[in-house]
Amino acid sequence: MSIPFTTEQFFEVIANYNISVFPVQILLVLAGIVCVVFLHSKKSYKDKIIGIYLGILWLWIGVVYHLVFFTSINPAAYIFGILFILQGLLILIETFRNERLKFNFKAEVIGYVAYFILVFAIIIYPILLYFLENSIYTTITLGLPCPSTILTFGFFMMTTTSFHKYLLIIPGIWTIIGTSAAFNFGVYPDYMMLITAIIATVYLFSRKKVAR
């Protein structure tokens, strides 16, 4: 697939985004950490807090990153923006109207795998990018598509069996599109997005059979 922009243009967009929205990306990271802490809470409102965060995260990426910044070098970003906005709205619908998004950390192998995925998305991913690019301005954090998609898969793996699997479609589509960056731009942590997507999809589709 031909990419209509260069590596330099891609990271220039990342730098412009980081400079323009600062300190929002820091707030999104801190909010992500809070949501991970809430996984251990017995409070009834923890599900809504995590669901609201994920919904806002996808809406933010759709509107701010894709439509405002990424469209400057890639016309396809208009489509990406619509998909991310749709995913954000679907997450919020599942959180409030259907109340199907319920999260629970289980001290078992899959729970620890999901926990590592969350830690990778929040902390390890941006650290790796910082050392690869050697610039704080081009560091990719939560609020940008790929680490946020990894985080979403991790949280989805923490859901109960009431989870609606159609919520995997758009993150799956982005995984296919976004993983190309690992090949073309040297964003090697994006390989984790593909690995995470496979693990989460296999687990979530086989979970019901295991439960029986």
Side-chain angles (χ1 to χ4, degrees):
M1 181 177 67
S2 177
I3 297 177
F5 51 89
T6 65
T7 301
E8 291 73 20
Q9 288 175 314
F10 172 74
F11 281 108
E12 183 179 353
V13 168
I14 298 298
N16 289 338
Y17 165 88
N18 280 329
I19 293 169
S20 299
V21 306
F22 183 83
V24 174
Q25 59 268 71
I26 295 177
L27 298 177
L28 290 173
V29 168
L30 292 176
I33 294 172
V34 169
C35 286
V36 172
V37 172
F38 264 106
L39 283 171
H40 304 279
S41 173
K42 301 297 183 182
K43 302 294 185 181
S44 59
Y45 52 77
K46 75 169 183 178
D47 301 318
K48 285 187 170 56
I49 288 177
I50 298 173
I52 290 171
Y53 173 73
L54 290 177
I56 290 175
L57 190 62
W58 281 78
L59 289 172
W60 169 268
I61 298 168
V63 174
V64 179
Y65 174 70
H66 282 305
L67 297 184
V68 175
F69 289 93
F70 199 28
T71 50
S72 65
I73 62 171
N74 188 5
Y78 288 106
I79 298 173
F80 301 155
I82 292 171
L83 287 175
F84 271 72
I85 291 169
L86 177 59
Q87 178 72 6
L89 293 174
L90 291 174
I91 290 174
L92 292 176
I93 288 171
E94 289 293 301
T95 299
F96 286 99
R97 194 178 73 179
N98 297 335
E99 296 187 350
R100 290 266 185 179
L101 272 183
K102 299 189 180 298
F103 302 89
N104 183 36
F105 170 73
K106 293 182 179 180
E108 53 190 35
V109 174
I110 197 65
Y112 290 116
V113 170
Y115 213 91
F116 172 77
I117 290 170
L118 297 178
V119 173
F120 184 91
I122 297 171
I123 300 173
I124 301 175
Y125 185 108
I127 290 176
L128 290 175
L129 252 296
Y130 173 77
F131 284 108
L132 284 171
E133 292 300 313
N134 198 29
S135 171
I136 193 68
Y137 297 109
T138 54
T139 298
I140 298 174
T141 62
L142 294 182
L144 288 168
C146 294
S148 301
T149 300
I150 294 171
L151 183 85
T152 301
F153 279 124
F155 272 120
F156 283 174
M157 290 174 66
M158 297 282 195
T159 56
T160 64
T161 53
S162 63
F163 175 76
H164 277 165
K165 299 179 185 66
Y166 77 89
L167 288 176
L168 294 170
I169 295 173
I170 293 176
I173 292 172
W174 180 255
T175 296
I176 296 170
I177 296 170
T179 302
S180 64
F183 299 95
N184 293 286
F185 306 134
V187 188
Y188 300 116
D190 283 353
Y191 287 118
M192 185 64 177
M193 183 167 57
L194 180 60
I195 295 169
T196 302
I198 293 171
I199 293 173
T201 302
V202 170
Y203 167 66
L204 290 169
F205 273 90
S206 64
R207 179 171 57 179
K208 201 166 186 180
K209 294 178 182 179
V210 173
R212 288 177 183 173

